[in-house]
Amino acid sequence: MTATTGNGNILQIRNLEKTFPNGVKALKGVSFDVKKGEFLVVIGLSGSGKSTMLRCLNRLHDPTGGSVLFHDDDIVKMKGGEVRTLKKRIGMIFQHFNLVDRHSVLSNVLTGALSRTGSMTSILGLWPEADKKRALEYLKLVGIADKAYIRADQLSGGQKQRVAIARSLMQNPEILLADEPVASLDPATCHSVMEYLKKVNRELGITLICNLHFLSLVRQYADRVVALRGGELVYDGSPSAIDGAWFTKIYGEGAREVHVN
Amino acid sequence: MSTEVAHGLPRRRFSIKSVVADGVFFGFLFIVAFLTIFPLSDEQTLDLARNLLIGLVSFLAGAMLSFGLFQAGWTTLGYMIFRRASDVAPGETAKAWFKTFWGFQLFLTLGVFCVVGFQVTEFSFYELLSTDGFEGAKRIFGALSNPEPSVFAPGFLAIIETIFIAFIATMLAIPVAFVISFFCAKNIMGGSPLGLFVYGTLRIFFNIVRSCEPLIWAIIFSVWVGIGPFSGMLALMIHSVASLAKQYSEQIECISEGPVEGIQSTGAGFLQTIWFAVVPQVVLPFVSYTIYRWDINVRMATIIGLVGGGGIGTMLMMYQGQALWNEVGALVVIIAVVVWLMDSASAQIREALK
Ligand SMILES: Nc1ncnc2c1ncn2[C@@H]1O[C@H](COP(=O)(O)OP(=O)(O)O)[C@@H](O)[C@H]1O
Ligand SMILES: [Mg+2]
């Protein structure tokens, strides 16, 4: 592994800004560090900029200011081929899973290996045997090896999210971004997916940055929490330290905590 | 340019389109009135400049009338067609539609249009019902319903040629249209000014190509490569490329962004993203459109044959020219059967692919 950015931080985010072409300032100078191997949760009201921030970290969006150090390289300054390499090293899963519905579960997982496979090789479907074996292993890891050959649209929401986790593991990522991974799942399934994310974090040592809605989940899974409000960082600390006063500061007056069991 | 009619009333906004439309509607009435009072002499019919001037003056007068009526608070037909959803026609909303000004204008314009139309098409009940005409019709229908059996064999060969003209035209059009359709899709090309430029240029180009009927392309190609199946095939191919590229690209424009983001986030390249995120979402509609296009092409190939594009159309033209109606009847039977078969087969396949 490459040396980390000093003192155990895998990411150093400084004054990160994102203004969309339509003028919306989604991030107004956000700064914090992400420690290697931690399970970091990002909370905030809907529209506070959580998704935008995650997408700036793997350059699905191009930030408009600030810097993000990742192993001494500035993510914000990367261009062309560097951006592709970055995306390869940072996996991502989404609220709506973003699988290719018509393809089998196995080929969905294999697409995680696209960045290291030639265009023609992958388009013709000539995946290396080693990759196929690994894909099956990751499916076993998330507990759905038996579904490898059925179409992805036949799965339930929770199963789809586990396929998405397996797909991102195929990339060998150092960091896994999760944008509200359980927001479209029912409470029971929701915990199963969170458990798999925890497993990926603890057993494979992959740093996790996860956007979440429910504070109860945050207390259960997060090592550390940062909160966004209106594109600004308003909290950075331990999940247990979020008391009533902080809650009001993050979510605004009149908000009430709801629990997911 | 917006006009507030009166304080507190719903907004009425002026729009250029509605004035242009009214200019055409009123202008048409003015021209008809003018020509009724001053009929054209034979010389004047050929005087393009004078006639254009009459048209232009009528149009401008119509447009000014429309603007005047708008200012006076009337609701014209043009305003009714092009008003925005938030615009209301004050004072007119409560009336029955046929008592409104625009309703009156609609009926008057349509009525005059029909009268002029009957004149131009030389519509005549007398011709339709005359005994002479009836005899002719009886002769033709009699011959058509008594097809000449010896024509079935060559006719069958000719329609196979037609089917293959349509098939090859479609096959050659597929790869070209497939590649081009991605450049004609706004969600793929919209990212950069260059992309938008390519997108816009291709759109305009293919709109022009598509607005040229295959019959016209067939005439062009029959001069270029000579009369025969090849020119017919080329004509259909050009038209198919333009039509398929449009239908394919519309399909690409309504894919969901999710899988695209999912594949991009793995670090996939541009081609890989297209292949793994876009193509799976569009492949079935593409197949469906393509089968339908082949079906359409078989029918068009028959028509194109009439101007020498080969196949059964050319044969039909030959017999018709010699007034061999029994032979024509045999060909009509073959065409009807094959078109019906292709049509239902393609409908079945498209239904199954949904
Ligand atoms: N592609 C975009 N173009 C313009 N504005 C956007 C875009 N994506 C998000 N926004 C705006 O940025 C702000 C933050 O959005 P987002 O990051 O999705 O918030 P969250 O994920 O916390 O709900 C919102 O005001 C949203 O409307
Ligand atoms: Mg979001």
Side-chain angles (χ1 to χ4, degrees), chain A residues 55 58 60 84 87-88 90 92 94 98-100 102-103 111-112 114-115 117-119 122-123 127 167 171, chain B residues 257-273 275-277 280-281 283-284 353-354:
Chain A
R55 282 169 173 73
N58 71 348
L60 277 180
R84 273 190 65 188
K87 287 194 176 115
K88 180 190 168 200
I90 302 184
M92 186 161 185
F94 305 82
N98 293 359
L99 300 179
V100 180
R102 289 188 176 283
H103 282 184
T111 55
L114 279 176
S115 62
T117 316
S119 286
S122 57
I123 286 174
W127 302 99
R167 171 171 75 182
Q171 297 173 228
Chain B
E257 272 298 304
V260 176
E261 241 191 351
I263 295 293
Q264 274 176 348
S265 75
T266 67
F270 180 74
L271 274 184
Q272 291 174 325
T273 308
W275 184 257
F276 285 96
Q281 295 190 59
V283 67
L284 281 192
L353 285 180
K354 262 186 195 155

Side-chain angles (χ1 to χ4, degrees), chain B residues 224-294:
Chain B
W224 188 341
V225 300
I227 282 180
F230 187 46
S231 68
M233 193 280 287
L234 286 178
L236 284 178
M237 190 196 83
I238 295 284
H239 193 74
S240 298
V241 166
S243 303
L244 285 178
K246 181 184 163 71
Q247 289 176 316
Y248 287 178
S249 63
E250 280 171 357
Q251 212 55 47
I252 294 172
E253 281 174 353
C254 59
I255 59 164
S256 76
E257 272 298 304
V260 176
E261 241 191 351
I263 295 293
Q264 274 176 348
S265 75
T266 67
F270 180 74
L271 274 184
Q272 291 174 325
T273 308
I274 298 277
W275 184 257
F276 285 96
V278 181
V279 171
Q281 295 190 59
V282 296
V283 67
L284 281 192
F286 276 25
V287 171
S288 174
Y289 281 133
T290 310
I291 291 175
Y292 190 43
R293 183 54 48 189
W294 182 25

